[in-house]
Amino acid sequence: MSRIETRFAALEATGRKAFVAYVMAGDPDYAGSLALMKGLPEAGVDVIELGMPFTDPMADGPTIQEAGRRALDGGQTLERTLAMVAEFRAEDAETPVVMMGYYNPIYSRGVERFLEEAAAAGLDGLIVVDLPPEEDDELCLPARAHGIDFIRLATPTTDAARLPRVLENTSGFVYYVSITGITGSASAQAAEVGPEVARIKAASGLPVVVGFGIRTAEAAEELAGVADGCVVGSAIVGEHAQGKPVDEVLAFVRGLADGAHRA
């Protein structure tokens, strides 16, 4: 079993929901983001999503766009993001790490080279938001051949005709985008999300986590309650952007994680 499968199986066995936290690699700098990443498991994070900064993050809202810009301005590269994964993995052999971002930096580095380096660093999964299922030969299938899960996004507009294609080569878990729009926008509603999660879970047989629009422990509890877990990104990145000490940001993360784990 992969680390992702192992983690979700352990959570299910104890009746707990997953809390997934997104942080931007290299924001505000390499050392600061690595310190935050290393502190996430102790703060209750079950799966880490590590953002790959990119110059044209079309699916991201202002908070994550600005974080990516700060990271790039500080010299963060895909190579340094992989180095963060390796440094984290040297101290933590259990917490799953998923890199989330866009295809261009991976393509520029070379898919095979990237995947070899990612597997060696200890990466568990990829979320690449601008590669549709029709392009699975580009990265999805090669990633799975290297033992790296390829996690798909499903949205409120993923209808019954489209869903089987989206799920065909998905592994690890499914990330349900609970609202239409960019990250950090409107709040999700559990009553609307629950039936969609059930539909996707029935079709995929995979855990389904809900993201977008979750900013508080109460919202984390509510949304995790209708899924296998929830994802928080913009709210955490926003706390970090205020220049707060890492321990204060981690305390904020702990509150969100506690909310999800109460579900």
Side-chain angles (χ1 to χ4, degrees):
M1 293 176 69
S2 70
R3 285 190 191 92
I4 294 174
E5 291 173 313
T6 299
R7 179 55 52 94
F8 276 99
L11 289 165
E12 184 178 15
T14 58
R16 291 176 55 151
K17 302 302 180 75
F19 181 67
V20 183
Y22 172 102
V23 294
M24 178 63 73
D27 178 40
D29 52 42
Y30 184 93
S33 62
L34 181 59
L36 178 60
M37 183 185 183
K38 287 182 174 181
L40 292 175
E42 184 64 27
V45 173
D46 299 298
V47 179
I48 296 170
E49 281 185 15
L50 186 63
M52 299 182 281
F54 180 50
T55 54
D56 186 23
M58 59 186 179
D60 295 318
T63 299
I64 292 180
Q65 283 191 21
E66 290 164 10
R69 188 177 304 112
R70 287 191 299 269
L72 291 170
D73 288 346
Q76 188 71 10
T77 61
L78 183 57
E79 182 175 4
R80 298 188 81 194
T81 301
L82 289 167
M84 281 183 63
V85 176
E87 286 200 58
F88 175 86
R89 187 59 69 216
E91 298 180 10
D92 186 318
E94 297 181 357
T95 305
V97 178
V98 174
M99 284 173 55
M100 183 173 185
Y102 300 83
Y103 184 47
N104 184 272
I106 295 171
Y107 177 80
S108 297
R109 192 161 187 81
V111 168
E112 187 61 25
R113 177 186 179 187
F114 166 78
L115 291 173
E116 289 176 357
E117 293 171 340
L123 186 70
D124 301 294
L126 281 169
I127 302 173
V128 181
V129 300
D130 56 346
L131 268 184
E134 288 73 18
E135 304 297 333
D136 275 358
D137 288 342
E138 286 281 330
L139 181 61
C140 172
L141 296 179
R144 295 196 61 180
H146 280 80
I148 297 172
D149 284 318
F150 202 86
I151 297 148
R152 288 279 185 211
L153 303 177
T155 75
T157 60
T158 307
D159 61 19
R162 179 65 174 166
L163 186 61
R165 186 68 181 93
V166 170
L167 298 176
E168 184 176 357
N169 293 310
T170 298
S171 60
F173 62 90
V174 180
Y175 185 142
Y176 180 65
V177 178
S178 59
I179 55 175
T180 55
I182 56 175
T183 58
S185 51
S187 298
Q189 302 298 318
E192 299 173 0
V193 169
E196 290 299 295
V197 168
R199 177 173 71 95
I200 294 164
K201 190 173 177 68
S204 68
L206 295 170
V208 180
V209 300
V210 177
F212 283 46
I214 302 172
R215 302 181 182 87
T216 66
E218 293 74 20
E221 181 178 3
E222 182 181 7
L223 271 297
V226 297
D228 295 294
C230 68
V231 185
V232 178
S234 294
I236 296 171
V237 172
E239 289 288 306
H240 200 40
Q242 296 177 37
K244 295 181 179 180
V246 167
D247 60 347
E248 289 188 22
V249 179
L250 291 172
F252 175 74
V253 173
R254 166 62 73 182
L256 294 167
D258 287 347
H261 292 151
R262 285 195 300 268

